[in-house]
Amino acid sequence: MDISKYLMETKIDANSHEPMYLQIARSIAQRIIDNTLPKGTKLPPERELCNYFGVSRTTAINAYRWLEQEGLVVTKVGSGTYVKENTNQQSNTLQVPWSQLFIPYPQTPMTSILKELVSTPYASEIISLATGMPDPTSYPLTIFHNLFKERFPTANPADFGYIPTEGYQPLREYLVELLNEQGIATTADRTMILSGSQQGLYLTSKVLLERGDYVIVQSPTYIGAIQIFQTIGARMLILPGEQSLNLDILEDYLIRYRPKLFYLISTFNNPTGQVLTEQERKDLLRLAARHRLVILEDDPYSQLYYEEKPPLALKAWDTNESVIYMGTFSKTLAPGLRTGYLTGHPALINRLSLEKQYVDLHSNNFSQWLLYLYLREGYYSEHLKFIRVLYKKRRDSLVKAIRRYLGDHISFDVPEGGFYLWCKLKSGSSARLLQEAIKCGVFFVPGQAFYTVPSEENEFRLCFATHPEAVLVEGIKRLTTAFDHIHKSKPKTIDNNPLKPIV
Amino acid sequence: MDISKYLMETKIDANSHEPMYLQIARSIAQRIIDNTLPKGTKLPPERELCNYFGVSRTTAINAYRWLEQEGLVVTKVGSGTYVKENTNQQSNTLQVPWSQLFIPYPQTPMTSILKELVSTPYASEIISLATGMPDPTSYPLTIFHNLFKERFPTANPADFGYIPTEGYQPLREYLVELLNEQGIATTADRTMILSGSQQGLYLTSKVLLERGDYVIVQSPTYIGAIQIFQTIGARMLILPGEQSLNLDILEDYLIRYRPKLFYLISTFNNPTGQVLTEQERKDLLRLAARHRLVILEDDPYSQLYYEEKPPLALKAWDTNESVIYMGTFSKTLAPGLRTGYLTGHPALINRLSLEKQYVDLHSNNFSQWLLYLYLREGYYSEHLKFIRVLYKKRRDSLVKAIRRYLGDHISFDVPEGGFYLWCKLKSGSSARLLQEAIKCGVFFVPGQAFYTVPSEENEFRLCFATHPEAVLVEGIKRLTTAFDHIHKSKPKTIDNNPLKPIV
């Protein structure tokens, strides 16, 4: 190889206190060590070295001599000077420096919270009220078992080969019926299967957003959405309000920033439980139409209502195709199915599928085959009725336990659906409470995880879906113990001991 | 809202041939139409408009009059001038312009080829020799059925809830045993489950590569890899050679470009069938160690050998942790399992999991549960023996049929494993042949799909795994018909009719 270009780049300073031969030698040594000059490379003859650097023959000879003494080159008489074959033996045994190889990543304390939440939902020794996981004992595994037992032998083997990226066609078509029942008019070519609705959020962000783009989010909102928008480098505009949608702020954002997307959990928002009223939905759609706003409506919870049936999805009134709608079976059937779905404009479905092919080619066929049968046989609506009763009781038990044991410390609104109780400490920080709670064998998600900006420190989320009522009550008792520990360890203030003399 | 800042931005040209009032009016109209000034906005009084633009009162009055005539504003006596409420009625009914919303995408003729390949592998009326799909009738569905039937009732329901992003722990641990058997020393914390090895390619590229980075690929190589590298904007350096690895070119690339990654199918490359010799593997690893090169070894086919057992994976000799190794069950069991796995440095596993949480939280539990049982019960090695015999026969039948019917037109090397026959036309283009072949009821992938740069036009890939021998032979007969059509339709040349007088 021609190494002259590397040598040409080397700057020699005649005024340096370092001898010229040493400057030259060190420069070459550097390139041997960093492998720019690999083992066996023939170095230029001394007279060429003189020419390159405009130095005397002696300087060139001394440079090579130094390299030879350092064990980096070897001189073969009558042939020339070569980079030594075993020079790199040491670096050969060096491990690849993996931690330095990755592209920059916006690391925050919340970077892996989602990952941690899905990793530890059901540990036995500690009661997790953190993860938004439906109770495993509620999964319709018996029906799944029957479907596997009775239908699998007559399944078409090709259904377990490669299938279209958009999804297993019978399931796509059946989902259209399910969506129609929920007031959403759509078609199979507007509907695709996802490996969980998390994937819909990921893919939609990937095709619509670039670094620096504006996205509107409710505040607080789903952790996984915040993380994706952060990773892409989108700028989040927050729409505060736990009970109603502030359309004035929204319109101001629309005019001022021209945001690319509004990510929204319209029904039983995670974590607040907020439900948009029918009027708010219609007003929002009008605003969206006027400003050509694209709305990503994430709807994992609307079927989990415990009082009145909530209003129809935004998508049900979406005559302008402003809305991308996502649903999932993770909260109603079992997270392990990893099956969600998305409905929107065909151009969007087409583009999302192009991206999805890179991510996983298509979603899991076993789940899609099973879900299609499960839905078609009509099991779903019965199951929904069953879990609505189950989770309503759990919500009520949790509420009752908190009012009984912690009523003085915690305030909340009772959510009309979903999985979560959004709690506010009357004093103190939820992060401090969590520290103590973990020692007492219970944990939850501190409120800050659901915000894009520093927030009140007194909020936290409890999930009432995962555990039976008795465990929920035990969890609250443990939380009460945590409160006691905090208050005991608090240095007594004068106000607490009004009779103690001031010293 | 304060609209003065928008008006301030408006430049009025006193020397324009367009009257000043019209310049002002059109500028405001533009902002009404694009919703910068939403309906109901109060416009500044005429005297303020005069001040903003330094124009006469008459000019201001004329500007508002023009806007009123255009139906954009309304003047309320004693109140002022407002953007008309129903101005946007028309745009309210406009659909969101979806096709214009997406971020730029490097669209090429090959953009959706992977998606198309997985969509159409098993249509009945046309014989597809295109998709790399194992025969659905070979999937071990009977054993899967038995496992579902007998083991599902005693499964732990929590195994179908959320699980760690890295995968179902029993499967991770079992995969370590499987990898050990294949000579790859690894541990569970170095091993993660993927939603197909396509996902490993995607995630690895995402954490290691940025736009403009260099990646080395074999040429030709797997379509899905090319697409991912193109989408990221990586620059691909190609390593040509169907039979051996050109380490000189590789080293030159390493020195010249410092590539971030070498993507490689070490055994039975797709599409060429190339296998690296043991010596090549060792030489490659030495080079990788010296240059700190990261190798992504994609290994879907090494268990599908039909002659000698191929050398151990690169990863088996990887003492420096240079190699990321990926395996999958898509080619050996069933693509619909969507389960692959990756083993590499723990820092890599950790970073990949952070990315994976956004993409799908974790892979499908039903498949992971099933695969764990299937592997643990020892069914896998018997199945591999069975499909080796099956696919060897199919390879031989395809080879025989081509030699018999098309021996004059097509040359190829017989691959010792994998799914593909890499064919070369002795004359003509494979794209032209494909046109005709589709009319005759058979199709394949033209060779250009496997290249990153314009390539020879005479190559194409046939997959011999999907169909029974009789169908393969029928496919070749149809291809023969396609050849006949092309040769018949070719205009006769003078050389073909030497006796015909030249006119």
Side-chain angles (χ1 to χ4, degrees):
Chain A
M1 56 166 289
D2 179 10
I3 64 158
S4 53
K5 84 164 184 173
Y6 298 117
L7 296 177
M8 296 292 269
E9 288 163 23
T10 304
K11 294 278 169 292
I12 299 299
D13 180 7
N15 300 319
S16 166
H17 64 92
E18 195 177 39
M20 303 245 281
Y21 85 88
L22 203 53
Q23 291 182 52
I24 294 169
R26 288 210 165 126
S27 146
I28 295 172
Q30 185 51 47
R31 293 179 189 272
I32 291 172
I33 289 159
D34 74 12
N35 284 307
T36 313
L37 301 175
K39 66 174 187 174
T41 306
K42 186 176 183 184
L43 296 179
E46 287 153 9
R47 65 175 184 288
E48 270 184 48
L49 207 64
C50 303
N51 293 339
Y52 280 128
F53 294 112
V55 295
S56 72
R57 189 71 182 259
T58 314
T59 302
I61 289 170
N62 283 339
Y64 278 175
R65 194 166 290 163
W66 184 88
L67 287 167
E68 204 164 5
Q69 282 163 0
E70 289 296 309
L72 294 168
V73 307
V74 64
T75 302
K76 298 179 187 168
V77 180
S79 169
T81 305
Y82 295 83
V83 176
K84 214 168 165 181
E85 288 287 327
N86 58 354
T87 299
N88 296 308
Q89 219 147 36
Q90 201 184 1
S91 72
N92 267 342
T93 61
L94 278 179
Q95 302 264 313
V96 170
W98 278 100
S99 306
Q100 278 78 63
L101 295 185
F102 307 123
I103 63 165
Y105 189 77
Q107 190 93 21
T108 73
M110 299 299 167
T111 302
S112 63
I113 189 169
L114 198 62
K115 188 170 158 292
E116 283 156 24
L117 284 176
V118 297
S119 294
T120 53
Y122 212 62
S124 54
E125 69 288 356
I126 188 161
I127 297 171
S128 170
L129 305 177
T131 310
M133 186 166 86
D135 186 344
T137 65
S138 77
Y139 306 160
L141 298 182
T142 308
I143 292 167
F144 288 172
H145 177 239
N146 283 336
L147 292 171
F148 277 126
K149 194 171 83 182
E150 283 159 26
R151 304 302 180 81
F152 204 70
T154 54
N156 178 1
D159 288 347
F160 305 101
Y162 289 114
I163 61 168
T165 304
E166 294 85 350
Y168 180 51
Q169 194 61 21
L171 180 61
R172 286 176 83 189
E173 284 166 15
Y174 198 85
L175 284 173
V176 170
E177 290 185 39
L178 189 76
L179 287 163
N180 288 346
E181 280 168 28
Q182 296 171 9
I184 296 170
T186 189
T187 54
D189 69 327
R190 287 165 193 267
T191 305
M192 71 186 284
I193 310 293
L194 303 164
S195 305
S197 57
Q198 174 72 29
Q199 185 171 75
L201 189 49
Y202 180 80
L203 295 175
T204 303
S205 302
K206 197 139 183 290
V207 306
L208 292 179
L209 302 177
E210 289 180 294
R211 181 166 297 282
D213 281 344
Y214 288 100
V215 178
I216 304 174
V217 294
Q218 287 161 299
S219 183
T221 193
Y222 171 54
I223 299 166
I226 294 175
Q227 289 184 321
I228 285 180
F229 298 141
Q230 277 174 344
T231 307
I232 285 182
R235 289 180 283 190
M236 278 173 275
L237 302 168
I238 61 171
L239 208 57
E242 288 174 20
Q243 291 314 323
S244 67
L245 200 64
N246 192 325
L247 291 179
D248 290 337
I249 295 183
L250 179 62
E251 180 153 27
D252 189 64
Y253 282 152
L254 295 178
I255 292 163
R256 209 184 285 276
Y257 299 105
R258 309 249 136 200
K260 291 275 183 73
L261 190 69
F262 179 14
Y263 169 76
L264 175 83
I265 305 174
S266 50
T267 308
F268 310 130
N269 182 25
N270 171 5
T272 61
Q274 179 191 4
V275 184
L276 266 58
T277 63
E278 189 171 318
Q279 191 56 51
E280 284 176 321
R281 287 167 203 245
K282 289 178 177 169
D283 291 344
L284 172 57
L285 284 171
R286 256 192 299 277
L287 205 58
R290 191 161 349 116
H291 292 274
R292 306 284 183 90
L293 171 67
V294 173
I295 298 173
L296 177 55
E297 183 179 27
D298 191 2
D299 189 21
Y301 302 109
S302 67
Q303 296 305 307
L304 297 162
Y305 54 87
Y306 313 129
E307 310 293 339
E308 295 279 289
K309 204 169 172 173
L312 296 183
L314 272 174
K315 184 68 184 167
W317 287 294
D318 173 35
T319 49
N320 292 57
E321 300 239 35
S322 310
V323 179
I324 307 166
Y325 176 90
M326 293 199 303
T328 178
F329 298 104
S330 292
K331 306 301 184 188
T332 54
L333 292 175
L337 289 165
R338 306 305 312 117
T339 308
Y341 48 98
L342 180 150
T343 194
H345 193 277
L348 176 73
I349 300 298
N350 183 46
R351 179 61 190 273
L352 291 175
S353 305
L354 287 179
E355 293 293 334
K356 183 170 162 65
Q357 69 177 329
Y358 304 136
V359 171
D360 61 8
L361 293 181
H362 59 77
S363 296
N364 188 283
N365 310 24
F366 288 76
S367 280
Q368 293 189 67
W369 175 88
L370 180 67
L371 267 170
Y372 165 63
L373 287 180
Y374 180 86
L375 295 173
R376 201 196 57 186
E377 305 285 305
Y379 292 113
Y380 195 44
S381 63
E382 278 307 307
H383 179 76
L384 288 174
K385 279 182 207 160
F386 161 69
I387 56 174
R388 275 178 210 130
V389 172
L390 183 75
Y391 294 145
K392 179 186 170 117
K393 279 191 202 155
R394 292 183 179 185
R395 177 201 63 177
D396 293 344
S397 288
L398 185 70
V399 163
K400 204 172 132 194
I402 295 178
R403 285 189 177 146
R404 176 167 171 194
Y405 296 107
L406 291 168
D408 294 342
H409 300 290
I410 295 175
S411 67
F412 53 84
D413 292 316
V414 178
E416 299 194 349
F419 273 9
Y420 312 109
L421 201 64
W422 181 237
C423 301
K424 290 177 193 187
L425 293 173
K426 289 180 184 161
S427 70
S429 101
S430 60
R432 173 74 189 89
L433 178 62
L434 181 59
Q435 271 184 344
E436 207 57 42
I438 288 170
K439 292 183 206 158
C440 299
V442 59
F443 71 107
F444 55 77
V445 188
Q448 282 146 302
F450 304 94
Y451 288 94
T452 63
V453 289
S455 66
E456 300 290 330
E457 291 186 346
N458 66 330
E459 297 168 319
F460 62 100
R461 190 191 79 175
L462 300 178
C463 173
F464 54 78
T466 317
H467 301 286
E469 293 169 51
V471 177
L472 292 174
V473 173
E474 172 60 24
I476 295 307
K477 285 184 184 166
R478 293 184 187 183
L479 204 57
T480 310
T481 312
F483 265 95
D484 291 345
H485 288 182
I486 290 173
H487 288 188
K488 257 184 240 153
S489 67
K490 211 187 239 173
K492 302 287 181 200
T493 64
I494 291 160
D495 285 340
N496 283 345
N497 297 282
L499 298 178
K500 203 176 171 185
I502 297 166
V503 285
Chain B
M1 58 166 290
D2 179 9
I3 65 158
S4 54
K5 85 165 183 172
Y6 297 118
L7 296 177
M8 298 291 270
E9 287 163 24
T10 305
K11 296 275 171 294
I12 300 299
D13 181 6
N15 301 319
S16 167
H17 64 92
E18 195 177 37
M20 303 243 280
Y21 85 88
L22 203 53
Q23 291 181 51
I24 294 168
R26 287 209 166 128
S27 147
I28 294 172
Q30 184 51 46
R31 292 178 191 272
I32 291 171
I33 288 160
D34 74 11
N35 284 307
T36 314
L37 301 175
K39 65 174 188 176
T41 305
K42 186 176 183 182
L43 296 180
E46 286 154 8
R47 66 176 183 286
E48 271 184 51
L49 207 65
C50 301
N51 293 340
Y52 280 128
F53 295 111
V55 295
S56 71
R57 188 72 181 260
T58 314
T59 300
I61 289 169
N62 283 339
Y64 279 174
R65 194 166 289 162
W66 184 88
L67 286 167
E68 204 165 5
Q69 282 164 0
E70 289 295 309
L72 294 168
V73 305
V74 62
T75 303
K76 296 178 188 169
V77 178
S79 167
T81 305
Y82 295 83
V83 175
K84 214 168 167 180
E85 287 291 324
N86 58 354
T87 299
N88 295 309
Q89 218 148 37
Q90 201 183 2
S91 72
N92 268 343
T93 60
L94 278 179
Q95 303 263 314
V96 171
W98 279 101
S99 307
Q100 277 79 61
L101 296 185
F102 307 123
I103 63 166
Y105 188 80
Q107 189 94 22
T108 72
M110 298 301 168
T111 302
S112 63
I113 190 169
L114 199 61
K115 187 170 159 292
E116 282 157 23
L117 283 176
V118 298
S119 295
T120 52
Y122 213 62
S124 54
E125 68 288 356
I126 187 161
I127 298 171
S128 170
L129 305 176
T131 310
M133 187 166 86
D135 186 345
T137 65
S138 76
Y139 306 162
L141 298 183
T142 307
I143 293 167
F144 289 172
H145 176 239
N146 284 335
L147 292 171
F148 278 125
K149 195 171 82 183
E150 283 158 25
R151 304 301 181 81
F152 203 70
T154 54
N156 178 2
D159 288 347
F160 304 101
Y162 289 114
I163 61 168
T165 304
E166 294 84 351
Y168 180 52
Q169 194 61 21
L171 181 61
R172 285 176 84 190
E173 284 167 16
Y174 198 86
L175 284 174
V176 170
E177 290 184 39
L178 189 76
L179 287 162
N180 288 346
E181 279 168 28
Q182 296 171 9
I184 296 170
T186 189
T187 54
D189 69 327
R190 288 166 193 266
T191 305
M192 71 185 283
I193 310 293
L194 303 165
S195 305
S197 57
Q198 174 72 29
Q199 185 171 74
L201 188 49
Y202 179 81
L203 294 174
T204 303
S205 302
K206 198 140 183 288
V207 306
L208 292 179
L209 302 177
E210 289 179 295
R211 181 165 297 282
D213 281 344
Y214 288 100
V215 178
I216 304 174
V217 295
Q218 287 161 298
S219 184
T221 193
Y222 170 53
I223 299 166
I226 294 174
Q227 289 183 322
I228 284 180
F229 299 142
Q230 277 174 344
T231 306
I232 285 183
R235 289 180 284 191
M236 277 174 274
L237 302 167
I238 61 171
L239 208 57
E242 288 173 21
Q243 292 314 321
S244 67
L245 198 65
N246 192 325
L247 291 178
D248 291 337
I249 295 183
L250 178 61
E251 181 154 26
D252 189 65
Y253 282 151
L254 294 179
I255 293 163
R256 208 184 286 274
Y257 300 104
R258 309 248 138 198
K260 292 274 183 72
L261 191 69
F262 179 14
Y263 170 77
L264 175 83
I265 304 173
S266 50
T267 308
F268 310 131
N269 182 26
N270 171 7
T272 61
Q274 180 191 3
V275 183
L276 266 58
T277 64
E278 187 170 321
Q279 192 56 50
E280 284 175 323
R281 288 168 202 244
K282 290 177 176 169
D283 291 344
L284 172 56
L285 283 171
R286 258 193 297 276
L287 205 57
R290 188 156 359 109
H291 293 273
R292 306 283 184 90
L293 171 66
V294 173
I295 298 173
L296 177 56
E297 182 179 27
D298 189 4
D299 189 21
Y301 303 109
S302 68
Q303 297 305 308
L304 298 163
Y305 54 86
Y306 313 128
E307 309 293 338
E308 295 280 288
K309 204 170 172 172
L312 295 183
L314 271 174
K315 183 69 184 167
W317 289 294
D318 173 35
T319 50
N320 293 57
E321 301 240 32
S322 310
V323 180
I324 306 165
Y325 175 90
M326 292 198 304
T328 177
F329 298 103
S330 292
K331 306 301 186 189
T332 54
L333 290 176
L337 289 165
R338 305 306 311 118
T339 307
Y341 47 98
L342 179 149
T343 194
H345 193 277
L348 176 72
I349 301 297
N350 182 47
R351 179 61 190 273
L352 291 175
S353 304
L354 286 180
E355 293 292 334
K356 183 171 162 64
Q357 70 178 329
Y358 305 135
V359 170
D360 61 9
L361 292 182
H362 59 77
S363 295
N364 188 281
N365 310 25
F366 288 78
S367 281
Q368 294 189 66
W369 174 88
L370 180 67
L371 267 169
Y372 165 64
L373 287 180
Y374 180 87
L375 295 172
R376 201 196 57 187
E377 305 285 304
Y379 293 113
Y380 194 44
S381 64
E382 278 306 309
H383 179 76
L384 288 174
K385 278 182 208 161
F386 160 69
I387 56 174
R388 275 178 211 130
V389 172
L390 183 75
Y391 295 144
K392 179 187 170 115
K393 278 191 203 156
R394 292 183 179 185
R395 177 200 63 177
D396 294 343
S397 288
L398 185 70
V399 164
K400 205 172 130 194
I402 296 178
R403 284 188 178 146
R404 176 166 169 196
Y405 296 107
L406 292 167
D408 293 343
H409 300 290
I410 295 174
S411 67
F412 53 84
D413 292 317
V414 178
E416 299 194 347
F419 273 9
Y420 313 108
L421 202 64
W422 182 237
C423 301
K424 291 177 193 187
L425 294 174
K426 289 180 183 163
S427 70
S429 102
S430 58
R432 173 74 189 90
L433 177 61
L434 181 59
Q435 271 183 343
E436 207 58 42
I438 289 170
K439 291 184 207 160
C440 300
V442 60
F443 72 105
F444 55 77
V445 188
Q448 281 145 302
F450 304 95
Y451 288 94
T452 62
V453 289
S455 66
E456 299 290 331
E457 293 186 343
N458 66 330
E459 297 168 320
F460 62 100
R461 189 191 80 174
L462 300 178
C463 173
F464 53 78
T466 317
H467 301 286
E469 293 169 51
V471 177
L472 291 173
V473 173
E474 172 60 22
I476 295 307
K477 284 183 184 166
R478 294 184 186 182
L479 204 57
T480 311
T481 312
F483 265 95
D484 289 347
H485 288 182
I486 291 172
H487 287 188
K488 257 185 241 157
S489 66
K490 215 185 236 176
K492 302 286 182 203
T493 64
I494 291 161
D495 284 339
N496 283 344
N497 297 283
L499 299 179
K500 204 176 171 185
I502 297 167
V503 286

